[in-house]
């Protein structure tokens, strides 16, 4: 595996893996261009490496228009497209997946980057279907979207006779916040909001992202799918932190110290936006990750990162249970 670090930039990763990016079709959720986001910067970094198609999926195609223009300015040969995706509504997720499947210009998606998210919503909110919003947007919407694209064949799976040769890759953007709480398999709606905590809800959604990668790897690895979770780092100035105040961050830090012990010091110094894209891009394109032994892994600072002792974020049994939760909510089975 290539050597990258906390200081590595997205541009450095794209340069290193240009051959793996060229000619690919890449779909990125949540690439908000204003203010600049990890998703938008990921798309701009990729444009320099000549992918075949970049598909931007966000809540408003009008908002994405300036980013499409920037991509085309960097490389006019790229087919750059946008689609409407509202992850807080499973009906809208199905509509977006259908639009992609029916688009005659999109034969296949080689890499899906599930980047969109919300963080530490101050008040208890739910999706259109009544799911706690961070759980619904960060995990459930992406989980459903991914499964629908696989079921349609756009996110291609191979036959088992192909020996698990890589056919497609999924990256779920997560956070080390998974350590402060994790998924409440029997109470993911926080007693319908009565016990809601902004940071525990965020933590739940981020462990769910990781369990999603573990579940995808377990179910579809033998058919060529590679799935990874990537922690971009602590990045200020993006719209993800809209709800985070200094007081709110103190609450998060207290929860972290409750888990890690009082006196624990931060181990994740802040990154610039371009540094924040690097681990996602490594997860999406590093050829060393084709190795099936790494399937489902968690990446941080540009390389596979061992989970803390006692963590449940890599537990295949919990991933299976969470998969069942998803099937129950959306009313559809997705079999491996």
């Amino acid at each position: 595996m290539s050597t990258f670090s906390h200081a590595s930039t997205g541009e450095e990763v794209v340069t290193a893996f240009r051959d793996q990016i060229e000619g690919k079709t890449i779909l990125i959720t949540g690439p908000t261009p204003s203010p600049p986001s990890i998703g938008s910067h990921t798309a701009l970094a990729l444009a320099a490496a000549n992918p075949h198609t970049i598909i931007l999926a966000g809540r408003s195609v009008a908002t994405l228009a300036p980013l499409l223009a920037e991509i085309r300015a960097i490389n006019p040969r790229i087919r750059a497209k946008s689609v409407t995706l509202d992850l807080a509504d499973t009906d809208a997720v199905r509509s977006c997946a259908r639009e992609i499947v029916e688009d005659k210009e999109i034969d296949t998606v080689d890499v899906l980057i599930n980047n969109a998210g919300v963080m530490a919503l101050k008040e208890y909110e739910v999706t259109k279907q009544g799911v706690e919003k961070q759980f619904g947007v960060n995990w459930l919407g992406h989980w459903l979207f991914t499964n629908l694209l696989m079921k349609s064949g756009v996110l291609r799976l191979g036959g088992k006779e192909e020996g698990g040769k890589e056919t497609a890759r999924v990256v779920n953007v997560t956070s080390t916040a998974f350590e402060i709480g994790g998924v409440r398999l029997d109470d993911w709606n926080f007693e319908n909001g009565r016990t809601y905590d902004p940071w525990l809800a965020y933590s739940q959604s981020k462990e769910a992202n990781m369990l999603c990668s573990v579940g995808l790897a377990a179910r579809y690895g033998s058919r060529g799918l590679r799935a990874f979770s990537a922690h971009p780092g602590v990045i200020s100035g993006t719209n993800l932190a809209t709800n985070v105040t200094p007081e709110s961050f103190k609450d998060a830090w207290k929860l972290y110290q409750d888990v890690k012990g009082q006196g624990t010091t931060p181990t994740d110094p802040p990154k610039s936006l371009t540094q924040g894209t690097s681990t996602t891009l490594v997860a999406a394109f590093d050829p060393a990750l084709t190795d099936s032994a790494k399937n489902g892994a968690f990446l941080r600072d540009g390389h596979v990162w061992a989970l803390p002792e006692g963590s449940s974020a890599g537990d295949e049994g919990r991933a299976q249970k969470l998969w069942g939760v998803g099937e129950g909510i959306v009313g559809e089975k997705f079999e491996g």
Side-chain angles (χ1 to χ4, degrees), residues 205-254:
S205 72
K206 293 292 101 178
E207 184 182 70
N209 288 146
M210 297 172 69
L211 292 172
C212 179
S213 296
V214 171
L216 287 168
R219 286 172 177 261
Y220 301 109
S222 64
R223 297 181 60 191
L225 184 72
R226 298 294 180 266
F228 305 101
S229 303
H231 169 56
V234 177
I235 300 127
S236 61
T238 71
N239 64 347
L240 181 64
T242 300
N243 295 284
V244 180
T245 63
E247 292 73 23
S248 172
F249 191 77
K250 287 178 183 177
D251 293 338
W253 187 238
K254 182 179 183 303

Side-chain angles (χ1 to χ4, degrees), residues 119-258:
M119 181 170 73
L121 300 179
K122 296 176 186 177
E123 304 296 331
Y124 179 72
E125 298 180 42
V126 296
T127 66
K128 185 177 178 181
Q129 286 72 31
V131 177
E132 188 280 313
K133 195 168 186 179
Q134 295 186 75
F135 196 53
V137 169
N138 297 355
W139 167 67
L140 181 66
H142 280 128
W143 174 83
L144 176 60
F145 189 53
T146 303
N147 274 292
L148 291 170
L149 293 178
M150 282 193 297
K151 189 173 184 177
S152 71
V154 170
L155 196 63
R156 193 176 76 81
L157 298 174
K160 293 187 177 180
E161 69 279 0
E162 296 179 46
K165 180 181 178 182
E166 181 173 345
T167 58
R169 196 173 287 201
V170 176
V171 179
N172 292 304
V173 176
T174 186
S175 164
T176 51
F178 77 87
E179 295 183 61
I180 65 175
V183 177
R184 302 155 63 104
L185 286 167
D186 299 317
D187 182 28
W188 38 266
N189 254 13
F190 293 85
E191 297 182 14
N192 291 323
R194 288 189 293 275
T195 59
Y196 176 74
D197 178 280
W199 287 106
L200 290 180
Y202 182 63
S203 173
Q204 169 172 252
S205 72
K206 293 292 101 178
E207 184 182 70
N209 288 146
M210 297 172 69
L211 292 172
C212 179
S213 296
V214 171
L216 287 168
R219 286 172 177 261
Y220 301 109
S222 64
R223 297 181 60 191
L225 184 72
R226 298 294 180 266
F228 305 101
S229 303
H231 169 56
V234 177
I235 300 127
S236 61
T238 71
N239 64 347
L240 181 64
T242 300
N243 295 284
V244 180
T245 63
E247 292 73 23
S248 172
F249 191 77
K250 287 178 183 177
D251 293 338
W253 187 238
K254 182 179 183 303
L255 288 168
Y256 188 79
Q257 288 191 317
D258 287 345

Side-chain angles (χ1 to χ4, degrees), residues 297-319:
F298 168 61
L299 281 79
R300 176 178 176 181
D301 290 342
H303 58 273
V304 173
W305 195 277
L307 295 177
E309 185 177 352
S311 173
S312 59
D315 187 291
E316 192 173 317
R318 279 176 64 81

